[in-house]
């Protein structure tokens, strides 16, 4: 581990960006030297105030990314602005232009080589030219449903297929999360939200591609299926009442198919009252592996932690657009 | 993944070396171009015969390592001759001298920087000079009790301590394995074997050091404690009868201690009739993680598989003595 101080610019101050900010401040190796966001309620304020801390950090939030990047001596930028690669692309290229490494939580950037090959190439070439590295990570995509199953196959002589389950009980989660998974709405409303793209977990296809590429599997196609999980009876959770027949939450399945066989199956389910929440990886191979994380991993903490923990790894990585499959393993470090 | 053919020399033809040989032959990307062993019953024979296959491989087993290494165009040598770093050191230096990469199952080589720092430095410098990479791996040490817990902490903001359990039921294992763990012998015989070093799983201390170094923990000391697990009643397993008071098997504990606290605890237990065999990783951290592999991972298959799967990773790694903490993640690939 590099013992030197690491200077960081935090680019994007939504809930995840602010949680990462608070994590970075707690770990002595990091110094935040810049903060970028376009939200007029945040611009001009001290980052400590915006992050809900009781102290000033002497870092003023700026909407002028170019100016912050140009004037800072940061080694890396933590980019947490958007899930869409098209949205985030100009921001990444701008950061690269200023010679900074990038670690991002952009879901579509986790493995864009097949879903957005042109943008992937463009970012890769720009990063190589400037000798910096770009990595996107997070709990999912980035770790639980791609890196971890992929890494566990290390001990397998053969792998026939891989199933990953991420099953969450949303009963005690924040209301915005419950709304995000469609809890309480009718099937029609649910399907309308799926159709207009507002009810969707981003990243299953990227995870499927990441696993397949690492294992050398050429898939015929991928699928991403979103369905409501419907209440069989009236259910109440806190203030929320869910009528029989309405959605308890969502089930989303990412498939990687070859010769009509489901080689990779990623099952993400989050509902009110889900029993036995878990993260589970099943490798049908030699030896077979059936691995379960009891109660699953808390998503928000995990995403912020892995993004922070990735920083020294990204700084030392080979230049270019990297993935979780081709950088050194990330660990929590002090 | 490098699509080119990879030429391999297999150095060491004990049970693990021969099983790796058979695995390599099944995977098209590998060609075995040399085989080295000093056992007079194997020298001069075709490798196919020695490996128990029904075909000739046109590779003759040789005891002249120098000649094999000099004349082969191998990119890598799979070195499976010994657990002791002192024993294996001249072999590694010889392989490096001939400009070949090394992947080994030598337990003491998994993380020798604190247990054998002089030898570690010597190997590292020699490898860097010749621009080749050296990695030791295996299921344990190398994966289950070090790489995997270390990699899982990626999603943790904080880690207080790490416990890993590898619990095996030896009832249906081969007799040599049952003997190796001391099943059936008296407590006195057991303690004598521990004292003369013949009853010992090698590698727990290396795993403790590997985890600690990756997490940036400076330990005060490590411990490696071996105890018999004693039968509370008469037990029979196949032809084996174990009298009450005799050993059912072994429990070995590797500890990493800091400020009188057990920061890392690796518990390896193998007994006749062990209930709920498993591999389990418990991270006391934020978030907490409790992960279990049901029935555990078959050790022999896993060690041979990960050694084979490591080959392209080692070939592409940075020159020098590498560890599982600083190479790209290994996966099963085709």
């Amino acid at each position: 581990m590099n013992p030197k101080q690491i200077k960081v610019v935090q680019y994007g101050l939504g809930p995840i960006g602010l949680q990462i900010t608070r994590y970075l401040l707690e770990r002595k190796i990091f110094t935040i030297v810049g903060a970028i966001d376009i939200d007029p309620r945040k611009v001009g304020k001290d980052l400590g105030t915006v992050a809900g801390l009781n102290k000033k950090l002497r870092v003023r939030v700026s909407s002028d990314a170019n100016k912050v990047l140009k004037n800072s001596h940061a080694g890396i930028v933590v980019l947490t602005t958007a899930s869409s690669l098209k949205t985030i692309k100009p921001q990444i290229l701008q950061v690269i232009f200023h010679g900074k490494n990038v670690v991002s939580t952009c879901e579509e950037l986790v493995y864009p080589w097949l879903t957005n090959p042109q943008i992937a190439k463009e970012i890769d070439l720009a990063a190589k030219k400037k000798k910096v590295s770009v990595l996107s990570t997070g709990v999912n995509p980035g770790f639980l449903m791609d890196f971890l199953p992929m890494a566990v196959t290390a001990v397998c002589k053969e792998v026939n297929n891989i199933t990953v389950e991420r099953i969450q009980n949303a009963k005690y989660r924040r209301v915005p999360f419950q709304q995000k998974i469609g809890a309480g709405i009718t099937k029609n409303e649910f399907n309308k939200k799926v159709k207009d793209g507002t009810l969707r977990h981003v990243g299953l296809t990227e995870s499927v591609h990441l696993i397949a590429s690492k294992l050398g599997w050429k898939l015929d196609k991928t699928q991403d299926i979103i369905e409501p999980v419907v209440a069989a009876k009236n259910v109440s959770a806190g203030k929320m009442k869910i009528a029989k027949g309405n959605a308890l939450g969502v089930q989303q399945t990412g498939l990687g198919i070859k010769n009509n066989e489901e080689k990779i199956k990623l099952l993400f389910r989050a509902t009110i009252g889900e029993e036995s929440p878990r993260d589970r990886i099943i490798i049908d191979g030699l030896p077979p592996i059936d691995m379960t994380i009891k109660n699953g991993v808390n998503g928000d903490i995990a995403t912020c932690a892995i993004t922070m923990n990735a920083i020294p790894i990204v700084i030392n990585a080979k230049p270019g657009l990297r993935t979780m499959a081709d950088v050194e393993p990330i660990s929590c470090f002090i």
Side-chain angles (χ1 to χ4, degrees), chain A residues 118-329:
Chain A
Q118 276 310 112
I119 300 180
K121 267 181 221 165
E122 201 176 335
I123 293 172
D124 187 48
L125 284 174
K128 281 175 176 156
K129 204 172 152 190
K130 285 285 190 174
K131 294 197 173 66
V132 295
S133 311
V134 177
L135 176 76
S136 187
T137 190
V139 70
N140 170 31
F143 189 80
L144 278 176
M145 302 187 92
D146 39 37
F147 173 86
L148 197 54
M150 183 172 90
V152 167
T153 69
V155 290
C156 295
K157 182 195 163 227
E158 294 159 19
V159 176
N160 301 316
N161 54 64
I162 295 173
T163 305
V164 186
E165 301 168 354
R166 182 153 166 78
I167 309 290
Q168 305 193 307
N169 180 5
K171 189 163 179 176
Y172 307 106
R173 298 290 290 270
R174 291 171 296 131
V175 172
F177 182 82
Q178 295 174 339
Q179 287 169 339
K180 196 182 149 192
I181 62 167
I185 64 179
T186 67
K187 271 205 269 188
N188 278 345
E189 290 166 330
F190 190 100
N191 290 330
K192 193 169 163 296
K193 278 174 178 287
V194 171
K195 219 170 180 176
D196 68 20
T198 55
L199 199 159
R200 178 186 168 227
H201 169 73
V202 182
L204 288 187
T205 301
E206 283 74 11
S207 291
V208 169
H209 284 315
L210 182 55
I211 295 172
S213 79
K214 182 74 172 176
L215 271 65
W217 292 356
K218 293 216 186 321
L219 300 173
D220 298 329
K221 62 176 177 182
T222 63
Q223 288 185 340
D224 189 340
I225 302 155
I226 310 179
E227 304 155 296
V229 177
V230 171
K233 54 178 186 184
N234 292 334
V235 169
S236 60
K239 288 176 186 169
M240 184 178 278
K241 311 282 175 212
I242 301 176
K244 180 180 168 179
N246 282 1
L248 286 172
V250 66
Q251 172 161 305
Q252 189 165 345
T253 312
L255 297 175
I257 293 167
K258 189 180 175 175
N259 299 331
N260 293 315
E261 197 192 334
E262 292 177 1
K263 297 290 287 180
I264 301 170
K265 181 176 183 174
L266 310 182
L267 185 76
F268 173 78
R269 190 163 72 225
T271 70
I272 302 288
E274 184 70 42
E275 280 174 30
S276 61
R278 64 190 176 275
D279 292 310
R280 185 176 178 199
I281 295 170
I282 303 163
I283 314 278
D284 171 10
L286 185 70
I289 291 173
D290 183 349
M291 183 168 97
T292 301
I293 300 177
K294 205 174 151 184
N295 299 322
V297 174
N298 180 297
D300 285 350
I301 300 176
T303 288
C304 296
I306 196 171
T307 305
M308 168 172 67
N309 291 329
I311 290 175
I313 303 293
V314 175
I315 289 175
N316 290 316
K318 278 186 241 178
L321 173 57
R322 304 258 62 89
T323 74
M324 288 294 289
D326 64 14
V327 293
E328 284 180 22

